[in-house]
Amino acid sequence: EAGVVQSPRYKIIEKKQPVAFWCNPISGHNTLYWYRQNLGQGPELLIRYENEEAVDDSQLPKDRFSAERLKGVDSTLKIQPAELGDSAVYLCASGTDYGYTFGSGTRLTVV
Amino acid sequence: GQSLEQPSEVTAVEGAIVQINCTYQTSGFYGLSWYQQHDGGAPTFLSYNALDGLEETGRFSSFLSRSDSYGYLLLQELQMKDSASYFCAVRKGRRALTFGSGTRLQVQP
């Protein structure tokens, strides 16, 4: 079966521009996570979905970040406007409480 | 809040055994997970411990002591391909995993 699919793999944008990342989780996985990983650090949670409901978005910077998971399947994470400090790898994961499967991530560079 | 501590770097030689420690502070602890991440790759699940004791999966083993808020990942018969970053992560109730900062393992020939 296909794993967690993310696109694009890489993205370079100028600051103040918008950007969006897409994630398709493993079929049948109701729980979806967006994490951000800075260089040399562990992943940090941005938002968790149970089906189409965002059940934990306490760490999502809501002034510039938004996310949606229509129909409880694939998900989109958006940043508008992007700042230099948003440069990081954005990881999507799906799975159970015991183990996650991560996608390959989107490496965002803001210049 | 939650905090996890693990060494930033560990170096070992091929064929040896290495232990990566993780201490955590969190309320409502449910379990400790370990993930491996090669440079440029995605984190991949290695193990999950909810109960005290040792869990073995091939060359990798993971240990948990809930009373000591401590766990470790043990890698035996090290291979060059084991060079990667290793993250411990705590599960608190139904909340998403909280990851440590990672331990970079370098295996030398």
Side-chain angles (χ1 to χ4, degrees):
Chain A
E1 84 182 350
V4 176
V5 180
Q6 289 189 247
S7 68
R9 187 77 175 88
Y10 303 93
K11 189 74 176 180
I12 301 175
I13 63 171
E14 294 183 344
K15 61 181 180 182
K16 301 185 181 179
Q17 294 302 304
V19 64
F21 316 122
W22 177 81
C23 172
N24 189 262
I26 291 175
S27 178
H29 281 187
N30 298 326
T31 309
L32 182 147
Y33 311 84
W34 282 102
Y35 280 84
R36 176 170 60 188
Q37 186 174 26
N38 292 306
L39 189 64
Q41 298 296 316
E44 296 177 322
L45 180 72
L46 291 173
I47 189 167
R48 173 169 75 99
Y49 279 95
E50 291 290 344
N51 297 303
E52 65 273 10
E53 182 182 0
V55 296
D56 185 356
D57 62 355
S58 58
Q59 299 183 68
L60 188 72
K62 298 182 183 62
D63 57 335
R64 298 183 300 107
F65 286 64
S66 64
E68 62 181 12
R69 190 184 184 197
L70 301 177
K71 301 181 181 178
V73 181
D74 55 353
S75 177
T76 303
L77 178 69
K78 298 178 181 178
I79 308 175
Q80 182 172 10
E83 298 179 350
L84 295 177
D86 296 330
S87 294
V89 176
Y90 291 83
L91 294 163
C92 177
S94 69
T96 69
D97 292 339
Y98 308 99
Y100 298 171
T101 299
F102 282 87
S104 297
T106 296
R107 182 176 297 276
L108 174 67
T109 302
V110 182
V111 297
Chain B
Q2 302 166 74
S3 69
L4 297 97
E5 288 191 17
Q6 51 182 130
S8 58
E9 288 188 20
V10 174
T11 302
V13 296
E14 207 172 2
I17 299 173
V18 71
Q19 179 175 311
I20 299 174
N21 299 321
C22 174
T23 58
Y24 58 88
Q25 287 186 318
T26 185
S27 57
F29 175 82
Y30 267 47
L32 186 71
S33 298
W34 289 92
Y35 285 76
Q36 178 193 60
Q37 186 178 32
H38 288 97
D39 285 348
T44 56
F45 173 77
L46 292 177
S47 68
Y48 175 74
N49 294 67
L51 302 176
D52 287 355
L54 191 68
E55 296 277 347
E56 298 182 58
T57 307
R59 295 187 298 113
F60 293 4
S61 302
S62 56
F63 172 83
L64 176 66
S65 169
R66 296 174 68 107
S67 60
D68 294 324
S69 297
Y70 163 76
Y72 66 72
L73 180 69
L74 190 72
L75 297 83
Q76 302 182 72
E77 302 172 18
L78 280 174
Q79 302 176 8
M80 297 299 291
K81 67 179 182 179
D82 297 329
S83 293
S85 292
Y86 293 84
F87 296 91
C88 59
V90 294
R91 178 186 164 217
K92 178 179 177 178
R94 291 298 317 281
R95 301 187 65 178
L97 291 178
T98 298
F99 287 81
S101 296
T103 298
R104 190 172 183 87
L105 170 64
Q106 186 172 4
V107 180
Q108 297 178 337

Coordinates of all heavy atoms in Angstrom, one line a residue, chain A residues 6 9 21 34-46 65 77 85-92 102-108, chain B residues 35-44 85-87 99-104:
Chain A
Q6 N 3.2 13.3 0.3 CA 3.3 14.7 0.5 C 3.8 15.4 -0.8 O 4.6 14.8 -1.5 CB 4.2 15.2 1.7 CG 3.7 14.8 3.0 CD 4.5 15.4 4.1 OE1 5.2 14.7 4.9 NE2 4.5 16.8 4.2
R9 N 7.9 18.3 -2.8 CA 9.0 17.8 -2.0 C 9.9 19.0 -1.5 O 10.4 19.0 -0.4 CB 9.9 16.9 -2.8 CG 11.0 16.2 -2.1 CD 10.4 15.1 -1.2 NE 11.5 14.3 -0.6 CZ 12.0 14.6 0.6 NH1 11.6 15.7 1.3 NH2 13.0 13.9 1.1
F21 N 1.0 23.3 1.4 CA 1.5 21.9 1.3 C 0.4 20.9 1.4 O -0.6 21.2 2.0 CB 2.4 21.6 2.6 CG 3.4 22.7 2.9 CD1 3.3 23.3 4.2 CD2 4.3 23.2 2.0 CE1 4.2 24.3 4.5 CE2 5.2 24.2 2.3 CZ 5.2 24.7 3.6
W34 N 0.2 17.2 11.4 CA 1.2 18.1 10.7 C 2.3 18.5 11.8 O 1.9 19.0 12.8 CB 0.6 19.3 10.1 CG -0.1 19.2 8.9 CD1 -1.5 19.1 8.7 CD2 0.4 19.1 7.5 NE1 -1.8 19.0 7.3 CE2 -0.6 19.0 6.6 CE3 1.8 19.1 7.1 CZ2 -0.4 18.8 5.2 CZ3 2.0 19.0 5.7 CH2 0.9 18.9 4.8
Y35 N 3.5 18.2 11.4 CA 4.6 18.6 12.3 C 5.6 19.5 11.5 O 5.6 19.4 10.3 CB 5.4 17.3 12.7 CG 4.9 16.5 13.9 CD1 3.9 15.6 13.6 CD2 5.3 16.7 15.2 CE1 3.4 14.8 14.7 CE2 4.8 16.0 16.2 CZ 3.8 15.0 16.0 OH 3.3 14.3 17.0
R36 N 6.3 20.3 12.2 CA 7.4 21.1 11.7 C 8.7 20.7 12.3 O 8.8 20.5 13.5 CB 7.1 22.6 11.9 CG 8.2 23.5 11.4 CD 7.8 25.0 11.4 NE 7.5 25.4 12.8 CZ 6.9 26.6 13.0 NH1 6.7 27.4 12.1 NH2 6.7 26.9 14.3
Q37 N 9.7 20.5 11.5 CA 11.0 20.1 12.0 C 12.1 21.1 11.5 O 12.3 21.2 10.3 CB 11.4 18.7 11.5 CG 12.6 18.2 12.1 CD 12.9 16.7 11.8 OE1 12.5 16.2 10.8 NE2 13.6 16.0 12.7
N38 N 12.7 21.8 12.5 CA 13.8 22.6 12.2 C 15.1 21.8 12.2 O 15.2 20.8 12.8 CB 13.9 23.8 13.2 CG 12.7 24.7 13.1 OD1 12.4 25.3 12.1 ND2 12.0 24.9 14.2
L39 N 16.1 22.3 11.5 CA 17.3 21.6 11.4 C 17.9 21.3 12.7 O 18.1 22.1 13.6 CB 18.3 22.5 10.5 CG 19.6 21.8 10.1 CD1 19.3 20.6 9.1 CD2 20.5 22.8 9.5
G40 N 18.2 20.0 12.9 CA 18.9 19.5 14.1 C 17.9 19.4 15.3 O 18.4 19.2 16.4
Q41 N 16.6 19.5 15.0 CA 15.6 19.4 16.1 C 14.7 18.3 15.8 O 14.6 17.7 14.7 CB 14.9 20.7 16.2 CG 15.8 21.9 16.6 CD 16.4 21.7 18.0 OE1 15.7 21.3 18.9 NE2 17.7 22.0 18.1
G42 N 13.9 17.9 16.8 CA 12.8 17.0 16.6 C 11.6 17.6 16.1 O 11.4 18.8 16.1
P43 N 10.7 16.8 15.5 CA 9.4 17.3 15.0 C 8.6 18.0 16.1 O 8.6 17.5 17.2 CB 8.7 16.1 14.4 CG 9.8 15.1 14.2 CD 10.8 15.3 15.3
E44 N 7.9 19.1 15.7 CA 7.1 19.8 16.7 C 5.7 19.8 16.1 O 5.5 20.2 14.9 CB 7.6 21.2 16.9 CG 8.9 21.2 17.6 CD 9.4 22.7 17.8 OE1 9.2 23.5 16.9 OE2 10.0 23.0 18.8
L45 N 4.7 19.4 16.9 CA 3.3 19.3 16.4 C 2.8 20.7 16.0 O 2.9 21.7 16.8 CB 2.4 18.7 17.4 CG 0.9 18.6 17.0 CD1 0.8 17.5 15.9 CD2 0.1 18.3 18.2
L46 N 2.1 20.8 14.9 CA 1.4 22.0 14.5 C -0.1 21.8 14.7 O -0.8 22.6 15.3 CB 1.6 22.4 13.1 CG 3.0 22.9 12.7 CD1 3.2 23.0 11.2 CD2 3.3 24.2 13.4
F65 N -0.9 30.7 9.8 CA -1.0 29.3 9.4 C -2.5 28.9 9.4 O -3.2 29.3 10.3 CB -0.3 28.4 10.3 CG 1.2 28.4 10.1 CD1 2.0 29.6 10.4 CD2 1.9 27.3 9.8 CE1 3.4 29.6 10.3 CE2 3.3 27.3 9.6 CZ 4.0 28.5 9.9
L77 N -2.0 22.3 4.3 CA -1.4 23.3 5.3 C -1.0 24.5 4.5 O -0.3 24.4 3.5 CB -0.3 22.7 6.1 CG 0.4 23.6 7.1 CD1 -0.5 23.9 8.3 CD2 1.7 22.9 7.6
G85 N 11.6 32.9 9.2 CA 11.7 31.9 10.3 C 10.8 30.6 10.0 O 10.9 29.7 10.8
D86 N 10.0 30.7 9.0 CA 9.2 29.5 8.6 C 10.0 28.5 7.8 O 9.5 27.4 7.6 CB 8.0 29.9 7.8 CG 7.1 30.8 8.5 OD1 7.0 30.7 9.8 OD2 6.4 31.7 7.9
S87 N 11.2 28.8 7.5 CA 12.0 27.8 6.8 C 12.2 26.6 7.7 O 12.7 26.7 8.8 CB 13.4 28.4 6.4 OG 13.3 29.4 5.5
A88 N 11.8 25.4 7.1 CA 11.8 24.2 7.9 C 11.3 23.1 7.0 O 11.0 23.3 5.9 CB 10.9 24.3 9.2
V89 N 11.3 21.8 7.6 CA 10.7 20.7 6.9 C 9.3 20.5 7.5 O 9.2 20.4 8.7 CB 11.5 19.4 7.0 CG1 10.8 18.3 6.4 CG2 12.9 19.6 6.3
Y90 N 8.3 20.5 6.7 CA 6.9 20.3 7.2 C 6.5 18.8 6.9 O 6.5 18.4 5.7 CB 6.0 21.2 6.5 CG 6.3 22.6 7.0 CD1 7.3 23.4 6.4 CD2 5.5 23.2 8.0 CE1 7.6 24.7 6.9 CE2 5.8 24.4 8.5 CZ 6.8 25.2 8.0 OH 7.1 26.4 8.5
L91 N 6.3 18.1 8.0 CA 6.0 16.7 7.9 C 4.6 16.4 8.2 O 4.0 16.9 9.1 CB 6.9 15.9 8.9 CG 8.4 15.9 8.8 CD1 9.1 15.5 10.0 CD2 8.8 15.0 7.6
C92 N 4.0 15.5 7.4 CA 2.7 15.0 7.6 C 2.8 13.5 8.1 O 3.7 12.8 7.6 CB 1.9 15.1 6.4 SG 0.2 14.4 6.5
F102 N 5.3 8.6 8.7 CA 5.5 10.0 8.2 C 5.7 10.0 6.7 O 6.2 9.0 6.1 CB 6.8 10.6 8.8 CG 6.6 11.0 10.2 CD1 6.8 10.2 11.3 CD2 6.3 12.4 10.5 CE1 6.7 10.6 12.6 CE2 6.2 12.8 11.8 CZ 6.4 11.9 12.8
G103 N 5.3 11.1 6.1 CA 5.6 11.3 4.7 C 7.0 11.8 4.6 O 7.7 12.1 5.6
S104 N 7.4 12.0 3.3 CA 8.8 12.5 3.1 C 9.0 13.9 3.4 O 10.2 14.4 3.5 CB 9.2 12.2 1.6 OG 9.1 10.8 1.3
G105 N 8.0 14.7 3.6 CA 8.1 16.0 4.0 C 8.2 17.0 2.9 O 8.5 16.6 1.8
T106 N 8.0 18.3 3.2 CA 8.2 19.4 2.3 C 9.2 20.3 2.9 O 9.0 20.8 4.0 CB 6.9 20.2 2.0 OG1 6.0 19.4 1.4 CG2 7.3 21.4 1.1
R107 N 10.4 20.4 2.2 CA 11.4 21.3 2.7 C 11.1 22.7 2.2 O 11.2 23.0 1.0 CB 12.8 20.8 2.3 CG 13.9 21.7 2.8 CD 15.3 21.1 2.4 NE 15.5 19.8 3.0 CZ 16.0 19.6 4.3 NH1 16.3 20.7 5.0 NH2 16.2 18.4 4.7
L108 N 10.8 23.6 3.1 CA 10.5 25.0 2.7 C 11.6 25.9 3.0 O 12.2 25.9 4.1 CB 9.2 25.5 3.5 CG 8.9 27.0 3.3 CD1 8.4 27.2 1.9 CD2 7.8 27.4 4.3
Chain B
Y35 N 12.0 6.7 17.1 CA 12.0 6.8 15.7 C 13.4 7.0 15.2 O 14.3 7.6 15.9 CB 11.1 8.0 15.3 CG 9.7 7.8 15.4 CD1 9.1 7.8 16.7 CD2 8.9 7.5 14.3 CE1 7.7 7.5 16.8 CE2 7.5 7.3 14.4 CZ 6.9 7.3 15.7 OH 5.6 7.0 15.8
Q36 N 13.6 6.5 14.0 CA 14.9 6.7 13.3 C 14.7 7.6 12.1 O 13.7 7.6 11.4 CB 15.4 5.3 12.8 CG 16.7 5.4 12.0 CD 17.0 4.1 11.3 OE1 16.2 3.6 10.5 NE2 18.1 3.4 11.6
Q37 N 15.7 8.5 11.9 CA 15.6 9.4 10.7 C 17.0 9.6 10.1 O 17.9 10.1 10.7 CB 15.1 10.8 11.2 CG 14.8 11.7 10.0 CD 14.2 13.1 10.4 OE1 14.5 13.5 11.5 NE2 13.4 13.7 9.6
H38 N 17.1 9.1 8.9 CA 18.3 9.4 8.1 C 18.3 10.8 7.5 O 17.2 11.3 7.3 CB 18.4 8.3 7.0 CG 18.8 7.0 7.4 ND1 17.9 6.0 7.7 CD2 20.0 6.4 7.8 CE1 18.4 4.9 8.1 NE2 19.8 5.1 8.2
D39 N 19.4 11.3 7.3 CA 19.5 12.7 6.7 C 18.7 12.8 5.5 O 18.8 12.0 4.5 CB 21.0 13.0 6.4 CG 21.8 13.3 7.6 OD1 21.2 13.5 8.7 OD2 23.0 13.4 7.5
G40 N 17.8 13.8 5.4 CA 17.0 14.0 4.3 C 15.8 13.1 4.2 O 15.0 13.2 3.3
G41 N 15.6 12.2 5.2 CA 14.5 11.3 5.1 C 13.4 11.6 6.1 O 13.5 12.5 6.9
A42 N 12.4 10.7 6.1 CA 11.3 10.9 7.1 C 11.6 10.1 8.3 O 12.3 9.0 8.3 CB 10.0 10.4 6.5
P43 N 11.1 10.5 9.5 CA 11.2 9.6 10.7 C 10.5 8.3 10.5 O 9.4 8.3 9.9 CB 10.6 10.5 11.8 CG 10.6 11.9 11.3 CD 10.4 11.8 9.8
T44 N 11.1 7.2 10.9 CA 10.4 5.9 10.8 C 10.3 5.3 12.1 O 11.2 5.4 13.0 CB 11.2 5.0 9.8 OG1 12.5 4.8 10.3 CG2 11.2 5.5 8.4
S85 N 19.7 9.9 12.9 CA 19.3 10.5 14.2 C 18.2 9.7 14.8 O 17.4 9.1 14.0 CB 18.8 11.9 13.9 OG 19.8 12.8 13.5
Y86 N 18.2 9.6 16.1 CA 17.2 8.7 16.8 C 16.5 9.7 17.8 O 17.1 10.4 18.6 CB 17.9 7.6 17.5 CG 18.5 6.6 16.5 CD1 19.7 6.8 16.0 CD2 17.8 5.5 16.1 CE1 20.3 5.9 15.1 CE2 18.3 4.6 15.2 CZ 19.5 4.8 14.7 OH 20.0 3.9 13.7
F87 N 15.1 9.6 17.7 CA 14.3 10.4 18.5 C 13.5 9.6 19.5 O 12.9 8.6 19.1 CB 13.4 11.3 17.7 CG 14.0 12.2 16.7 CD1 14.4 11.8 15.5 CD2 14.3 13.5 17.1 CE1 15.0 12.7 14.6 CE2 14.9 14.4 16.3 CZ 15.3 14.0 15.0
F99 N 8.2 15.0 20.7 CA 9.5 14.4 20.3 C 10.7 15.1 21.1 O 10.6 16.3 21.3 CB 9.8 14.5 18.8 CG 9.0 13.6 18.0 CD1 7.7 13.9 17.7 CD2 9.6 12.4 17.5 CE1 6.9 13.0 16.9 CE2 8.8 11.5 16.8 CZ 7.5 11.8 16.4
G100 N 11.7 14.4 21.4 CA 12.9 15.0 21.9 C 13.7 15.6 20.7 O 13.3 15.5 19.6
S101 N 14.9 16.2 21.1 CA 15.7 16.9 20.1 C 16.5 16.0 19.2 O 17.1 16.4 18.2 CB 16.6 17.9 20.8 OG 15.8 18.9 21.4
G102 N 16.6 14.7 19.6 CA 17.3 13.7 18.8 C 18.7 13.5 19.2 O 19.4 14.4 19.7
T103 N 19.2 12.3 18.9 CA 20.5 11.9 19.1 C 21.1 11.5 17.8 O 20.6 10.6 17.1 CB 20.7 10.7 20.1 OG1 20.1 11.1 21.4 CG2 22.1 10.2 20.2
R104 N 22.2 12.1 17.4 CA 22.8 11.8 16.1 C 23.8 10.7 16.3 O 24.8 10.9 17.1 CB 23.5 13.0 15.5 CG 23.9 12.8 14.1 CD 24.4 14.2 13.5 NE 24.8 14.0 12.1 CZ 24.0 14.1 11.1 NH1 22.7 14.3 11.3 NH2 24.4 13.9 9.8

